[in-house]
Amino acid sequence: MTGFGSLARVESKLLLRDPGAIFSMVIPLFILAVFGSGAAPGDVALPTMSMTVAVGLVGLYMVPTTLATYRERGILRRLSTTPVSPVALLGVQLALQLVFAVLASALLVGVSVAAFSAAVPARVAAMAVAFLLGTSAVFAVGLLIAATAPSGRAANGIGVLLYFPLAFLGGLMQPKEAMPEALAAIGEWTPLGLFRQAVFDAWSGAATQPLVLAIMAAYALVIGGIAARIFRWE
């Protein structure tokens, strides 16, 4: 337990020093600040989009880059000879990345409500469930990238390249109404599209769509399971 706690403290410090963490926090806040003044009072579409951007950056950029870099540098292999296993390091990393995503999202909610008159989340419990399932689905994709990328730099590139089409299809770059109908329909079932819709529904007070939650859970279980099965320690 002591070793696990020490590992968590060390990884927390490294995470706070990671430029990617700053990037993942600042970009969503920048989007909110630039476009928030034009949003109508009570509107939650922009805050939801900003939150989805934050989770997408953490899951598709920070998670795969960090884990693939650790493998490339032999850190996971060396840990296998110590009392702290590489599985513990992966668990700590995922937990810290989840906490970071939660804090970034909580900050976005607070700024949206306090500075831009967004509505207070109407269904907090439903929003928490949507957030956890959606984040798990996005993180699963990040784990798959980490499992297959040959290096940290490759994981970084793959994550960035995958993020932009998923963000476009998920309605983060332009409203779904402005997209071709076929692309908008596809985007609704991508991890980021599902996350955005589920959080928006809960935040605005709309009824939760069980199918959306079920598909996000399926993404997390299936893609995460594949990633765990093929992940290489060295």
Side-chain angles (χ1 to χ4, degrees):
M1 182 63 68
T2 302
F4 188 87
S6 299
L7 181 62
R9 286 193 295 272
V10 171
E11 291 301 312
S12 297
K13 294 178 181 177
L14 292 175
L15 176 62
L16 293 175
R17 297 173 185 170
D18 185 356
I22 299 174
F23 178 80
S24 299
M25 181 74 77
V26 169
I27 292 299
L29 280 172
F30 176 78
I31 293 172
L32 187 62
V34 170
F35 298 102
S37 59
D43 180 61
V44 299
L46 178 62
T48 300
M49 184 193 74
S50 299
M51 186 187 298
T52 309
V53 168
V55 170
L57 288 174
V58 174
L60 299 177
Y61 172 70
M62 291 178 61
V63 168
T65 300
T66 301
L67 298 185
T69 298
Y70 280 7
R71 182 181 60 229
E72 179 185 9
R73 294 178 178 174
I75 295 174
L76 298 180
R77 175 174 49 80
R78 290 196 294 271
L79 277 177
S80 64
T81 63
T82 70
V84 180
S85 71
V87 175
L89 176 60
L90 292 182
V92 166
Q93 265 296 324
L94 289 175
L96 289 175
Q97 302 282 11
L98 175 60
V99 170
F100 182 81
V102 170
L103 293 176
S105 298
L107 177 61
L108 288 166
V109 172
V111 171
S112 299
V113 173
F116 300 108
S117 302
V120 174
R123 301 169 61 231
V124 176
M127 189 170 173
V129 171
F131 180 88
L132 289 175
L133 288 177
T135 302
S136 297
V138 176
F139 276 28
V141 178
L143 282 173
L144 184 60
I145 296 171
T148 55
S151 66
R153 180 173 294 183
N156 188 330
I158 294 170
V160 171
L161 288 174
L162 187 59
Y163 172 80
F164 284 104
L166 287 179
F168 173 77
L169 290 171
L172 305 184
M173 296 183 176
Q174 63 177 337
K176 290 192 306 178
E177 295 75 17
M179 296 171 59
E181 187 175 344
L183 291 180
I186 293 172
E188 290 179 357
W189 307 109
T190 61
L192 293 181
L194 291 164
F195 179 95
R196 183 187 57 76
Q197 185 61 54
V199 170
F200 176 82
D201 288 344
W203 195 336
S204 63
T208 298
Q209 302 179 44
L211 180 59
V212 170
L213 300 181
I215 294 176
M216 290 193 297
Y219 271 130
L221 292 173
V222 175
I223 299 178
I226 294 172
R229 191 175 187 84
I230 66 177
F231 192 90
R232 296 175 290 108
W233 300 110
E234 54 182 306

